[in-house]
Amino acid sequence: MKYLRIFLCLVALSLTACMSHVWTDTTTRLQIENKTDVTILGLDIVSEDGTSVQSWIRDAIEPGEKSKVVEEDWVGTFKVRVRFDKWNGETEKRFSLCAILITDPDKKPKKVATNFADLPESEVIEELGYDCEKNGHSDETATYVKLTLDFEGGSQYLVVSEDENGKAVFKFR
Amino acid sequence: MQRRLNKILFLLAMAAGVAFADPIPTEALTQGGLVMRDRQLRDIGLVMRGGRGGFIDIGYTYTPSSEQLQLKSKYGAHDGFAFRHHYGIFGSWVLDSISHLGFLTWFDRAGWDSQDFFFFPHYGDFAHISSAFTWGFSYTNTKYDVTAALGLQHQNLELASKRVFPNESDSLLFYWGHVRYKNVCIQGSFYRNTFQTLRLSLDLESRELYGGAGSGYKTYLPNLSATIYRRKNNDDDDNFVRLNLEQNLYKQILYADVAYDFPKGGFHSAILKYYPEGLSRLVGLEASCLRRNEIGGSRKLLWGGAVDIVILRLAYNSAFDYDNMFGAKGTFIAEIHLDLGSIGGKFFGRGAAKPTLMETSQKRVDLHKFMKTYSEQQKLNTTVDAQGNKVIEAKGIRYEKTGSSGTTSNEGGY
């Protein structure tokens, strides 16, 4: 009877808050593996309107390398930006895109380049851009993928690879 | 089978409630302090209607899943817990036969954190935790039926993550006052020489609890209040007035509660409340309709309801939770709470017109003695006849055959 009471108290306690940290992760320990043949320059969380950026993985990850594990409080669904050094060596195309962007401001980046990343249905690609806002010069450009990722907390291992069509693939493992 | 089906449906509803919940916006959290302070003063206003006796209100919202009330920031949706812990206590002393001196404290701590807690928050990177504390003294004179109360209000921003919340100011020096004469009262809260809210309440409904009528046309008079809120919008005055009407619809067990905003805003909410007779609002059922007034311009109606059973309140999309839990909607919210007032040995729920049927008594039941008598009664199957005499009935009558075999039987199976 006494043990039953203690057990019931424990059940009640575990149901009513303050015990949730036992099974709820409040941080994500993220590591990226780069299986593409270009260098990944980092991973950031960006705001919906793109004006605020919070860096998460700051290392440059060479092809075939893994990043450090970085623990942050991002648990939930966020817009992520993965920056690449270049993609498919298409530097010329990149320059021409920049030119289009500057001469035609109505044309949005996501319209001009759609075949960059291939994502599973659950990870919807939001936007792909070539950042040409700084004068449109070749040395100022950046290549990145913006996608929405669901971080469940705990240790998460993100593999970035390239499929046979030359598209970037993001997968948690 | 039916019961199992009900159980499955209930669990499905709960799961749906969790899965399709909408995240709460950061703007709602930064408004939290204003909401808490105003609700505390409204509660105090209700308790000051009597101005004597005692009152306790203690509660804790319980949302079990970290995906139930996510935080919507500019980066996305964060997993975590919205919380609201609160208490309100009022106690009074009888100075002489007509004067009562009271002391009251109201405390709310609300916000969002990546973990839930009772006392010690996790203080996550995206947490917003703020509290409001209202305290003061009251004086009630029952001969003239007046109450005067005044005190201070402290709004304390414990933590607001710089990464997602705008800068906000708090203050420890709001002050408030409340004056009631019979059923008219004026309440105000101030900061330095400017008002924050000013409220005029006409509590016209006749309430048996405060010596009014228990039935009749007087109980059908409305309870009205008008509150002027001082608000700033980009340094411009954005003051507005909220009108509240509480109307007894049927025998003080069915009420309508309507809120309307002037000059813009218009209809805010309407609540239909049912309080079973004799339970003095300790048990209640409500259906509500609220018009969301979002920054994006969406003005959709939100329909919801709640069940309140003394210590547990279970609500879905209820107007109260939308207003007091940062616009929470699309999910079940449970609140474990108790609010109970007492005046002269009578108990009542917040805002009730009549006391409960239970009264304090000095009788104590000795459980052991009771059980002993009960079990003895069971054994003997004692009943009491119309004259008050104990009658013992025997079961299993034995019929004895007077034959030569001498067998006995209680079957009666001839």
Side-chain angles (χ1 to χ4, degrees), chain A residues 7 10 13 23 31-32 40 42 54 56 65 69 78 80 93 106-109 117 120 131 134 148-149 155 170:
Chain A
F7 174 74
L10 280 176
L13 192 69
W23 63 83
Q31 188 175 27
I32 303 179
I40 294 175
Q54 302 272 334
W56 191 343
E65 297 282 310
V69 176
F78 307 104
V80 171
K93 191 179 172 187
D106 290 335
K107 210 154 199 173
K108 287 173 183 166
D131 191 358
K134 291 179 182 171
T148 304
L149 285 181
S155 292
F170 298 83

Side-chain angles (χ1 to χ4, degrees), chain B residues 186-341:
Chain B
I186 297 170
Q187 191 186 58
S189 82
F190 307 88
Y191 177 64
R192 292 191 178 154
N193 56 356
T194 56
F195 78 93
Q196 298 291 306
T197 56
L198 279 179
R199 182 167 16 248
L200 172 70
S201 307
L202 298 174
D203 196 25
L204 301 177
E205 180 192 0
S206 188
R207 296 175 195 242
E208 194 187 336
L209 183 65
Y210 307 119
S215 59
Y217 78 94
K218 279 186 176 174
T219 60
Y220 287 93
L221 294 173
N223 297 320
L224 297 161
S225 87
T227 312
I228 309 171
Y229 290 89
R230 185 189 181 84
R231 292 286 183 270
K232 290 274 183 192
N233 189 5
N234 294 332
D235 287 334
D236 294 330
D237 282 346
D238 197 17
N239 298 355
F240 71 98
V241 179
R242 174 162 294 177
L243 291 181
N244 287 83
L245 161 75
E246 191 190 43
Q247 175 65 51
N248 169 24
L249 296 177
Y250 180 69
K251 285 188 171 177
Q252 294 182 315
I253 58 172
L254 194 66
Y255 281 90
D257 196 338
V258 181
Y260 198 89
D261 292 343
F262 279 113
K264 50 189 180 188
F267 171 73
H268 177 72
S269 67
I271 309 168
L272 190 66
K273 299 186 271 193
Y274 168 71
Y275 303 107
E277 201 157 12
L279 295 169
S280 185
R281 295 201 183 188
L282 292 176
V283 174
L285 208 71
E286 64 178 66
S288 68
C289 169
L290 176 133
R291 189 157 76 176
R292 290 159 58 198
N293 203 352
E294 291 192 332
I295 295 162
S298 157
R299 312 196 71 190
K300 287 178 185 162
L301 292 178
L302 184 74
W303 295 87
V307 186
D308 201 336
I309 315 157
V310 192
I311 56 161
L312 179 73
R313 183 187 144 91
L314 198 64
Y316 185 83
N317 278 357
S318 87
F320 178 85
D321 290 314
Y322 187 87
D323 284 340
N324 291 281
M325 275 291 278
F326 320 110
K329 63 183 191 311
T331 185
F332 281 96
I333 293 177
E335 188 186 6
I336 296 149
H337 76 127
L338 177 76
D339 69 87
L340 189 69

Side-chain angles (χ1 to χ4, degrees), chain A:
Chain A
M1 195 64 194
K2 190 179 163 192
Y3 292 106
L4 182 71
R5 252 180 238 169
I6 293 171
F7 174 74
L8 287 176
C9 285
L10 280 176
V11 169
L13 192 69
S14 58
L15 280 175
T16 54
C18 70
M19 288 287 286
S20 65
H21 62 271
V22 176
W23 63 83
T24 306
D25 281 307
T26 58
T27 57
T28 302
R29 293 176 293 279
L30 183 68
Q31 188 175 27
I32 303 179
E33 185 178 356
N34 183 1
K35 284 193 172 172
T36 66
D37 53 7
V38 292
T39 308
I40 294 175
L41 298 176
L43 182 144
D44 318 303
I45 304 283
V46 288
S47 62
E48 305 273 327
D49 58 1
T51 52
S52 303
V53 177
Q54 302 272 334
S55 288
W56 191 343
I57 305 270
R58 293 183 180 84
D59 314 342
I61 313 158
E62 297 293 331
E65 297 282 310
K66 289 174 195 167
S67 73
K68 284 179 197 155
V69 176
V70 183
E71 185 173 1
E72 288 271 353
D73 267 18
W74 301 104
V75 181
T77 310
F78 307 104
K79 204 174 204 183
V80 171
R81 186 177 78 179
V82 181
R83 286 178 284 122
F84 293 92
D85 178 34
K86 58 188 175 192
W87 193 256
N88 291 346
E90 291 183 17
T91 42
E92 271 182 45
K93 191 179 172 187
R94 199 150 36 130
F95 295 158
S96 65
L97 284 171
C98 288
I100 291 166
L101 280 174
I102 290 157
T103 50
D104 185 3
D106 290 335
K107 210 154 199 173
K108 287 173 183 166
K110 58 182 166 189
K111 281 185 182 169
V112 291
T114 50
N115 294 329
F116 189 26
D118 188 14
L119 301 165
E121 272 179 63
S122 58
E123 298 160 6
V124 182
I125 183 163
E126 291 277 321
E127 189 188 328
L128 154 74
Y130 294 87
D131 191 358
C132 312
E133 280 169 16
K134 291 179 182 171
N135 306 323
H137 293 313
S138 58
D139 54 335
E140 304 281 355
T141 59
T143 310
Y144 56 82
V145 176
K146 273 187 189 172
L147 67 154
T148 304
L149 285 181
D150 199 2
F151 296 100
E152 288 165 359
S155 292
Q156 294 206 286
Y157 192 75
L158 182 67
V159 180
V160 184
S161 57
E162 189 180 341
D163 67 4
E164 64 271 21
N165 301 322
K167 295 172 182 175
V169 178
F170 298 83
K171 220 171 227 174
F172 277 122
R173 202 169 67 195

Side-chain angles (χ1 to χ4, degrees), chain B residues 33-51:
Chain B
L34 297 169
V35 174
M36 281 191 282
R37 283 193 287 122
D38 184 51
R39 216 207 70 256
Q40 290 183 346
L41 285 176
R42 276 182 190 268
D43 273 9
I44 289 168
L46 285 175
V47 174
M48 288 299 111
R49 180 68 183 85

Side-chain angles (χ1 to χ4, degrees), chain B residues 365-401:
Chain B
V365 179
D366 187 332
L367 197 64
H368 284 285
K369 211 174 166 185
F370 175 76
M371 289 304 281
K372 209 175 161 188
T373 352
Y374 181 74
S375 64
E376 273 171 8
Q377 276 185 0
Q378 283 292 306
K379 222 184 273 172
L380 292 172
N381 197 23
T382 317
T383 51
V384 180
D385 70 4
Q387 282 77 41
N389 300 318
K390 273 187 182 174
V391 176
I392 300 170
E393 285 174 27
K395 273 183 183 170
I397 301 163
R398 287 159 68 104
Y399 294 94
E400 212 161 308
K401 244 179 148 184

